[in-house]
Amino acid sequence: MTHPARLFLDRAPSPIGELLLVTDETGLLRAVDFHDFESRLRRLLRLHYGDLALETGEAPRSTKVAFARYFAGEVNALSALAWDTGGTPFQRAVWRALTAIPPGQTVTYSELARRVERPAAIRAVGAANGANPLSLVAPCHRVIGMDGALTGYAGGIERKRWLLAHEGVVQAKPMPLAT
């Protein structure tokens, strides 16, 4: 990971809520989240980059176009985006492994743990997945429970359901309602 000198926050529309796009001075994508989770985004940025101020600034046009194309139905449009982020080596390995899950497919947490060569680290993989700062780009919404249930997604289960349907996943089962 390279440490950025500056971080810029831009916003972009999406059918499931305004996106927050964080890029650095070189245009690398550093984080993506939804507008209603801006406090979590800022907390993760502090964790990864210390007291580096988050300035208002435009994301590269190519980044915004890639997100627009993704939501317009080109579900592979985000795979070419250049990104870098903080996190531990293990977390970054999990996030890279997420990018290898093709749109329209899902994996379980245990399968993701196998893919990062830590098959017993299912809970750690789940924690890394939950701390993913690159929502949609490192597609943590493609990770589901062993029984096919939609399990925790930092952007909310309804967004996860929408994203999976958008990408053509049909087997995803809704999470059981709490009683």
Side-chain angles (χ1 to χ4, degrees):
M1 177 198 80
T2 58
H3 195 71
R6 296 175 76 186
L7 292 174
F8 300 98
L9 174 64
D10 197 0
R11 297 168 188 273
S14 93
I16 54 175
E18 184 179 53
L19 296 175
L20 304 174
L21 307 175
V22 177
T23 54
D24 67 16
E25 70 280 359
T26 69
L28 272 177
L29 189 64
R30 294 291 181 152
V32 179
D33 212 331
F34 294 98
H35 71 284
D36 45 338
F37 294 102
E38 187 167 344
S39 61
R40 177 187 62 213
L41 172 78
R42 289 179 181 274
R43 186 180 71 250
L44 283 173
L45 291 173
R46 274 192 307 280
L47 178 67
H48 296 309
Y49 306 115
D51 290 330
L52 192 58
L54 185 57
E55 306 171 46
T56 299
E58 291 225 7
R61 179 168 160 42
S62 59
T63 299
K64 292 175 92 168
V65 166
F67 280 97
R69 287 177 40 220
Y70 171 82
F71 285 110
E74 293 179 47
V75 294
N76 284 309
L78 302 176
S79 63
L81 286 176
W83 57 270
D84 192 9
T85 191
T88 67
F90 176 75
Q91 288 173 321
R92 289 194 312 269
V94 170
W95 301 333
R96 279 190 304 277
L98 290 169
T99 66
I101 306 168
Q105 295 184 23
T106 58
V107 300
T108 62
Y109 289 94
S110 58
E111 172 59 24
L112 189 56
R114 279 192 289 280
R115 290 182 182 194
V116 296
E117 299 178 356
R118 299 277 302 275
I122 297 167
R123 286 181 185 257
V125 163
N129 202 44
N132 174 14
L134 294 160
S135 178
L136 306 175
V137 177
C140 50
H141 61 275
R142 296 179 189 152
V143 183
I144 60 173
M146 282 294 289
D147 64 353
L150 301 186
T151 56
Y153 177 61
I157 293 297
E158 288 308 311
R159 279 190 180 120
K160 182 172 186 161
R161 184 176 289 116
W162 189 96
L163 290 164
L164 291 173
H166 176 66
E167 295 177 355
V169 173
V170 293
Q171 85 274 12
K173 294 178 358 186
M175 193 168 157
L177 295 174
T179 54

